[in-house]
């Protein structure tokens, strides 16, 4: 631990889901956070409701890194079935807190591990009569033990408890006692042999701990979403449920009781997509939230939205595919599928938030973009961003009013002799539209997914078809540089890294490690598709650019190969992580070092499967 | 040029104002007759073209929205998915009058799930199924409403159970269910007007022969078959809200249903008694017809009380698109307080 | 007309659909064919049942070209609404046969056109009392007129009629008379001023006139398809209907009346895809036929088929998208969408037939491939191949028995101690499978779209997930060179052309024209995805390779850019035709010449929208 | 070690041979009880594990196929699409015994269209809906079978009509429709066995409380509610084909339904008369129950005569996969003749 105040501690708690461990994990997280120490919690839970193993990763760093770390300095083992296997997660020299009843762990010879057996079950039994409550509080006992080991003060725990149980303060007492139980047990029965400790810092003041689905929901509300049509699917459900909760608080007219948003649980994702298009066509700001399987089911409707030019916001909280895949693991696997979703020639704007703040901002902007470009707009987040808590600066209040795009009302129509729905009058590929209900004889037009001309009349004419398709391509060009621009950190190093979405956080840390190792890198974080024109400049400015992403096939790598053209494509090196865990900096560093020190001859565009943790 | 007087409706619009483009459907297609009845119903009803939204899926039937009220907005969706699109549009602007046209393939085959859920939500719209028992536009394959044993022109016999759209709708608890025949304007026009006055989903299962692929001997959706097997439940008159009752009629034989907007549908019974407010009764007449091979037409079931989706959602009267940032965003204070609460 | 016997005549007949014109067009086609003259008929029909304009292109060439030509040497105008507009289709010096009642055409000054007004309506009325029959026979009258103009002998017409009305010979007489009526009218009332004539050749003997859906259907039957689950959609319906017709003739057991195939009209394409997977899982050879919108709806199920490794044949007769698009026009627009259909990382074998013979062969092979690779296999044909008649050599009887792939039966299991469904025992990425109903305790396994290990057990393990996904990638590599190999015509010219599917026929003709103009080209016809390894060699052997395809976004060009890598990608020049008409050689020639004679500076990978006819 | 005797069924298999993996569902989940009843029914019925095919969609309920008969093949499809997969598999091998497990979300929400078409085709399978009125696996949102007015734990009230799976099935003409309760083995086991003996689609709508998300006050799918509102139509005994009738019973009170394989289901009436072969009658008891809030359980409707899909398709008895090239291809002569005809 070099400089004073340096902290990089990684705790892993192995419990079973549905046992209330989540709440204990949160209390610990908030307590460390309350000590002014930056935290990065990650929850690895099973696709099931109760009784299966679940792992909680809590990383605390003075540098404020948001990525996780693979190995644990402190492992809390409360789940018998995984007890032995979990030991592999321990760093040598690490600390093991475990249920005494499991018996001593089988550790490989001479592995220097600090063992703290604790009779969690017994302790709980002795003090908590009700079995359900007991199961729950057992987890709090571990918080007490850990607090004692790491030196987390009661004040911090108290702050955490108040925040946690804001809505039901009555529960605080019981939780407090359970924590004390753990602390006391350690004090009286065990002696600290390890050196792990957390000293307070001042690096969290003004920061919030939020998950990306929560901030995205607020973004949707602030973006003026008035129709939410969704179908439950992990990991997107909580986004919709947050929108509904916010709507119940902020969208109900106190006088009339009217609700200024429609929130419909559709019968499936096809229907949800159709409702979004119907609502967008009628002028509402509509969105749907889903994950991979839902995107597949929305394919036909999204093609209709593209060709008939109907605004709509499609949020995909990505999980591991293909098919049902691993519903509770994270991946960036729908990038290329969403980008050109539906049969025929199509292409859609895709926003790629990389932080919980951007989950908020991009959702808010997505509605403007959808109406400006009159087309379905995708927002691709993922389980890691959406369902884990992240430390973030406060969210900004929007500084601009809505931009509803090119909509003609009665007043404008009064001044016109002719209205043609699909005529490119401004040369930017974006036509003007009217909405049903406009009281004017020029307003009406016929919306269809079949061939149509500028006046929205049915046609099978080859010239007209081609003209319309060329305009649609132009329209996306108009969009290209209106989308969130890449964020570039460039000091004219020869080596570049290009990443997007939640991979960002591992890149930040990896760059520090690489730089410390003498390998300085520049960095471009892509925030939308189609790729901004500036990306070509970045790639042109570097002899080699690592394209970092979380999927097997290097989907963004492929998109870049096409959009940047062959010359620049030759400089791209694909790094792929696809095991369902968030990307770890160490894996990324290793992959880049492997490459950099690989035989010059090796074809750089054929990195084998890449990083797989 | 001498002024010529055109007959107009209360809204001051002429019949022509409700016309659409020339049909491209086959001459004699039942769908064309339905189009004409729709034009009459909309004209008589004095519907505001600017508030009308014409919805459809894909099929010969679904093309029909182009053939009436050119001055109204229309949305020709993808195959079988009109219900979802209509639901979204209805949420966005509950003041619009939605008239959906679909086919039996569009509704009972690919679209069956969405159709059922539309009814479950009781979305405020009129949903006309132009039912010919075949896929017209793809050249005459059986649809899911084909009756067991009915025969295709080339001889294929339908082995499967039929899906009775009206019966299904009643069973699912739809709030307005009627069956009619493209050839029976006097029955269809009042039913259409009643449907327009109803708040909630009004299903009209209209037998509409496909002269090109399903109007032959052995078809149960041919003009011939319907003429021979139609069992008409009632004589119908639509009485607009304003109009005071002129026609006097002998008690007992007639009943009236008051619709959501205060207008009435008067039913003069023919032959058998049928109380259209009794769901079980409706299920029975449909089931009996199904067994006897009779085509039971008329108002089968109505429940004017069932709240429609927008009411259940407590949506404001004004279209959602007209809400501005000040009505949709948290205030700066609320925003700050929320973040505070989240911190 | 250089060499003797040279023929290149293009006739366009403009009629209305549902009027029986199709039958007249066919008689004429078969008559010319019977004269030993190669024909290439193309039908441009509307997406409607009756009463809208429809154009019939009949090209007759001594060279036997299969592609069409844009301009008409002889225009038959029987549709009043399009009469004037159709005149633009006429080559200068061409011949116009038209309904006298339309009145004389407005032709631009001095355009040398041969006019033959014919009172078709009157003639028909005079001789055919029944109005329906009259409407129909009017078209036959035009056949007579054209026969007289071009010198098509009665013998040829007679042969055509017998073939055409094989099933209902009674109809022949009436048709014959109508034809005679036209011929006589021309003889007695008009004098031939043009020079068009068709002299008999001997270039069609042993050849057949078949459409690709018909041959594909036979391929499916010969390939052992036992379950067809489909949903009607133009232009694929006739394929399914041909399968059903063939099954009714050849799959019914004369004794028992049992039918050796299940043909199910599903309620939609999702269901059709699900039925295919269910049947494939249970060991049947199952297929579905659809077009673009159906592919979109099958996305979720195809992802399941990929991850659960279930064989199935998915035929897409491509039409113009996006959305409903132009249902009766042709395009190669679903290439990239089908190739990686479904969310997450997926990739599917895609067969690309270029001739009606290949429609037969590839369908027959697709069932073997699907079972060998245990995955959904796509066959991408298009409307032009599928619904137009093509001259073809006879179809070969299969020379091999079915290859059912790696299936374990009771007998093999008896000799095994353990069976694991997803274990790569042979190192080719292809595991062994059993089917339900196998009477052995080892046989059963659990099929799912969620995470699974080699033994088909549920798992969320990151290592296992990655291992399985890597094997799936390997499996496709195994498939890569088992798929139909590219067909290469190489004489070490610097310039290469790469095409696939129905574009082939315009390429053949374009190469002749280019060569005649001194521009010799080599040619590779791609017949499957993923691209065979030999493609890289071809591209490496040429300084420039034109990638010719029928879509807006250069979908194959993009796939090649990715699969060939940056170095080779630089040599690819994209040529895109996407107006819904089949590709014409002249357009292709023009596009290539434009490129070749473009300023060296011009970036070759940025051909603007490309050929759009 | 001394030989221990294990009780076995006629097939010589022990109860354990019908066990599956340990459940991962919540303790107390109704689905687990249903799994136990299924194990008993399969054991009693002497089902051959090698001929059993376990089908399901996605949901807690759909996971249940892993928890019985580990030695049988299983197909856990995508959400709501099990009917299509089952249809395809049933066509491929009509000798397999298909047992499908689905949930109310899987069947009545996303899967409703496929479910209806499965019934229409009368695919030979047993289709169990483990109906808890919510989406368990996604943590407790309402499903389409939630009753109007029923309340979620967090207080949300369902505004929409319920989809009554049994009522819908009867209306669509399904050939076997029953409703039961996860807590009522004595009723569910004979119904399951009858379903297995029935040829065609046998729908069992089984109320199966979700203890985690929908077992509270205000839920109409809770143990409490069902116990208080269950209306049982009959006492049921399943009588295998072989078994001669031992139990004597007083005439009049009991009737028997002969099933396709010759076995019988004996119904001893409780309280009201119900003829399960009368569709209209079935529609009535369901509709009445719907109004009164009673959960009507028992055999609602059965029609052993309706041909199943494979029969309608005239498929051979042997699995289609066992047909070889000589049975599937045209002969060389036929092939040549066909091309000749095409030329
Ligand atoms: C997803 C999809 N599948 C198939 C089709 C092809 N298709 C167009 S219309 C139609 C059926 C129309 O039948 P119906 O709804 O009864 O209308 P009708 O033509 O009989 O009036 C089909 C299958 C399509 N357009 N989209
Ligand atoms: C296409 C798709 N959409 C959504 C989901 C998420 N999902 C999984 S299970 C489920 C609902 C399950 O409810 P139900 O069928 O009633 O089963 P239960 O868990 O209640 O037994 C949903 C929506 C999914 N897996 N696939
Ligand atoms: S095909 Fe049938 S349904 Fe279609 S337009 Fe013609 S008659 Fe009407
Ligand atoms: S969540 Fe509900 S349905 Fe799912 S396992 Fe638990 S109790 Fe059963
Ligand atoms: Mg129809
Ligand atoms: Mg449920």
């Amino acid at each position: 631990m070099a400089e004073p105040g340096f902290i990089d501690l990684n705790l892993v708690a192995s419990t079973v889901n549905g046992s209330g461990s989540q709440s204990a994990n949160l209390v610990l997280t908030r307590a460390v956070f309350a000590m002014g120490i930056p935290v990065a919690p990650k929850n690895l839970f099973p696709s099931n409701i109760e009784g299966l193993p679940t792992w909680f990763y809590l990383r605390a760093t003075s540098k404020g890194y948001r990525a996780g770390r693979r190995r644990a300095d402190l492992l809390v083992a409360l789940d018998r079935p995984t007890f032995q296997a979990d030991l592999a997660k321990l760093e040598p020299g690490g600390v093991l807190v475990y249920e005494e009843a499991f018996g001593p762990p089988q550790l490989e010879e001479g592995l220097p591990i600090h063992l703290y057996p604790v009779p969690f079950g017994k302790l709980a039994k002795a003090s908590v009569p009700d079995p359900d409550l007991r199961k729950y509080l057992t987890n709090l006992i571990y918080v007490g033990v850990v607090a004692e080991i790491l030196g987390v003060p009661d004040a911090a725990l108290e702050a955490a408890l108040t925040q946690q149980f804001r809505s039901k303060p009555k529960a605080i007492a019981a939780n407090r006692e359970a924590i004390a139980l753990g602390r006391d047990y350690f004090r009286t029965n065990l002696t600290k042999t390890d050196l792990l400790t957390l000293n307070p810092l001042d690096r969290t003041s003004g920061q919030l701990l939020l998950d990306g689905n929560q901030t995205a929901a607020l973004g949707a509300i602030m973006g003026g979403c008035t129709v939410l049509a969704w179908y439950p699917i992990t990991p997107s459900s909580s986004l919709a449920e947050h929108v509904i909760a916010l709507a119940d608080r902020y969208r109900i007219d106190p006088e009339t009781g009217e609700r200024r948003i429609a929130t419909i649980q559709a019968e499936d994702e096809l229907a949800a997509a159709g409702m979004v298009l119907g609502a967008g066509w009628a002028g509402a700001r509509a969105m749907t939230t889903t994950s991979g399987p839902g995107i597949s089911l929305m394919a036909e409707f999204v093609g209709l939205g593209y060709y008939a030019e109907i605004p709509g916001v499609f949020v995909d909280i990505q999980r591991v595919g293909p098919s049902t895949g691993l519903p509770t693991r994270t991946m960036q696997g729908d990038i290329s599928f969403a980008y050109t979703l539906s049969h025929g020639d199509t292409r859609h704007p895709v926003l790629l938030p990389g932080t919980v703040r951007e989950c908020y901002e991009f959702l808010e902007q997505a509605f403007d973009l959808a109406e400006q470009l009159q087309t379905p707009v995708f927002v691709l987040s993922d389980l890691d961003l959406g369902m884990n808590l992240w430390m973030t600066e406060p969210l900004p209040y929007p500084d601009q009013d809505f931009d509803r795009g090119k909509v003609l009302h009665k007043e404008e129509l009064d001044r016109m002799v002719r209205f043609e729905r699909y005529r490119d009058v401004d040369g930017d590929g974006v036509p003007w539209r009217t909405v049903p209900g406009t009281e004017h004889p020029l307003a009406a037009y016929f919306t269809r997914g079949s061939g149509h001309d500028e006046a929205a009349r049915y046609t099978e004419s080859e010239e007209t078809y081609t003209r319309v398709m060329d305009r649609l391509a132009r329209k996306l060009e108009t969009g290209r540089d209106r989308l969130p621009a890449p964020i570039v950190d460039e000091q004219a190093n020869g080596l570049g890294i290009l990443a997007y979405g939640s991979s960002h956080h591992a890149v930040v840390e990896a760059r520090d490690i690489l730089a410390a190792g003498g390998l300085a890198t520049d960095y471009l974080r892509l925030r939308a598709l189609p790729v901004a024109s500036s990306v070509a400049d970045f790639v042109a400015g570097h002899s080699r650019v690592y394209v970092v992403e979380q999927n097997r096939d290097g989907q963004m790598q492929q998109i870049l190969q096409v959009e940047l053209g062959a010359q620049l494509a030759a400089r791209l090196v694909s790094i792929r992580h696809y095991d369902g865990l968030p990307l770890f900096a160490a894996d990324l560093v290793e992959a880049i070092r492997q490459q950099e020190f690989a035989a010059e001859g090796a074809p750089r565009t054929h990195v084998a499967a890449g990083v797989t943790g | 040029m001498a002024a010529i007087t055109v007959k107009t409706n209360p809204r001051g619009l002429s019949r022509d104002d409700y016309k659409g483009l020339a049909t491209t459907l086959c001459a004699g297609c039942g769908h064309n007759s339905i189009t004409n009845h729709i034009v009459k119903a909309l004209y008589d009803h004095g519907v505001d073209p600017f508030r009308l939204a014409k919805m459809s899926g894909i099929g010969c039937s679904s093309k029909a929205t182009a053939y009436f009220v050119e001055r109204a907005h229309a949305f020709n969706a993808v195959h079988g998915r009109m219900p979802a699109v209509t639901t979204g549009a209805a949420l966005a602007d509950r003041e619009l009058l939605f008239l959906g046209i679909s086919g039996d393939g569009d509704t009972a085959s690919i679209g069956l799930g969405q159709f059922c859920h539309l009814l479950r939500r009781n979305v405020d719209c009129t949903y006309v199924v132009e039912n010919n028992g075949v896929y017209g536009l793809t050249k005459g394959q059986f649809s899911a409403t084909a009756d067991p044993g009915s025969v295709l022109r080339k001889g294929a016999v339908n082995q499967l159970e039929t899906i009775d759209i009206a019966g299904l709708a009643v069973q699912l608890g739809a709030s307005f269910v009627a069956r009619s025949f493209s050839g029976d304007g006097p029955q269809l026009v009042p039913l259409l007007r009643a449907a327009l006055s109803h708040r909630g989903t009004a299903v009209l299962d209209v037998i509409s022969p496909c002269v090109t692929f399903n109007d032959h001997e052995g078809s149960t959706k041919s003009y011939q078959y319907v003429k021979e097997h139609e069992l008409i439940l009632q004589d119908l008159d639509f009485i607009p809200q304003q109009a005071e009752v002129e026609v006097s009629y002998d008690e007992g034989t007639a009943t009236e249903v008051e619709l959501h907007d205060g207008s009435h549908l008067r039913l003069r019974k023919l032959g058998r008694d049928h109380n259209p407010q009794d769901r079980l009764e409706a299920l029975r007449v449909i089931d009996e017809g199904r067994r006897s091979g009779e085509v039971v037409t008329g108002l089968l079931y109505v429940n004017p009380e069932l709240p429609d989706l927008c009411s259940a959602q407590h949506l404001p009267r004004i279209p959602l698109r007209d809400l501005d940032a000040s009505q949709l965003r948290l205030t700066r204070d609320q925003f700050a307080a929320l973040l505070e609460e989240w911190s």
Side-chain angles (χ1 to χ4, degrees), chain B residues 43-97:
Chain B
Y43 170 79
D44 292 351
H45 213 62
V47 164
D48 174 358
F50 301 149
R51 302 220 131 284
L52 178 67
K54 305 177 293 178
M55 314 301 284
S56 62
I58 298 285
C60 294
S61 34
S62 294
K63 288 181 176 186
T65 51
Y67 313 139
F68 59 89
V69 199
E70 200 178 350
R71 272 207 270 154
H73 271 78
F75 195 133
N76 182 201
V78 286
H79 190 34
R81 316 300 179 185
M82 181 249 281
V85 174
T86 303
T87 303
L91 292 167
D93 185 351
R94 62 187 297 184
E95 293 291 279
L96 290 176
L97 189 66

Side-chain angles (χ1 to χ4, degrees), chain A residues 332-546:
Chain A
Q332 299 176 314
D334 303 337
I335 306 295
S336 42
F337 188 59
Y339 188 31
T340 58
L341 190 62
S342 208
H343 60 281
D345 289 306
T346 66
R347 196 165 246 81
H348 320 289
V350 176
L351 308 187
L352 301 164
T355 65
V356 293
R357 174 175 171 155
E358 285 178 348
C359 289
Y360 163 78
E361 291 172 337
F362 288 11
L363 244 300
E364 196 260 323
Q365 293 165 27
F367 294 91
D368 278 0
L369 285 166
E371 289 197 313
Q372 287 167 358
L373 298 173
Q374 297 176 24
T375 198
V377 168
F378 283 85
V379 181
L380 265 56
S381 171
D382 62 32
L383 181 141
D384 186 20
L385 269 179
M387 290 188 74
N388 284 320
L389 285 177
W390 299 75
M391 202 172 84
T392 177
E393 62 277 18
L395 308 174
Y397 193 88
D399 48 16
Q400 288 178 346
D401 196 355
F402 304 146
D403 177 344
R404 307 298 310 265
K406 301 181 182 179
V407 182
L408 293 169
H409 309 86
K410 180 178 188 314
E411 302 64 40
E412 293 98 359
L413 290 165
D414 282 335
R415 285 183 251 99
M416 299 168 64
V417 290
R418 152 132 62 46
F419 160 64
E420 290 182 320
R421 168 65 179 100
Y422 296 116
R423 173 80 57 194
D424 183 8
V425 286
D426 306 322
D428 58 1
V430 183
W432 288 79
R433 65 179 184 136
T434 59
V435 293
T438 307
E439 306 255 336
H440 195 287
L442 290 180
Y445 69 93
F446 200 97
T447 303
R448 51 162 62 87
S450 48
H452 47 269
D453 65 10
E454 283 75 2
R457 287 176 301 239
Y458 180 78
T459 179
E460 295 172 358
S461 146
E462 47 266 28
E463 294 80 7
T464 313
Y465 169 80
T466 314
R467 211 166 52 230
V468 171
M469 288 300 286
D470 290 342
R471 179 179 58 75
L472 286 173
R474 267 204 323 279
K475 187 168 84 165
L476 202 67
E477 284 312 309
T478 298
R480 193 180 287 272
D481 289 314
R482 284 197 199 173
L483 305 174
I487 291 181
V488 182
D489 172 9
E490 202 163 11
Q491 278 96 22
N493 298 301
L495 218 61
I497 297 178
L498 187 155
Y500 59 95
S502 63
S503 305
H504 169 61
H505 308 279
V507 172
V508 169
E509 185 177 351
R511 290 181 68 210
D512 287 357
I513 301 171
L514 288 168
L519 205 60
T521 56
D522 290 344
Y523 176 36
L524 180 144
R525 180 158 68 89
L526 199 61
R527 301 199 302 165
L529 289 173
V531 297
S533 28
S534 60
V535 174
D537 309 335
F538 179 82
V539 175
H542 297 82
S543 55
R544 204 155 41 252
V545 174
Y546 288 97

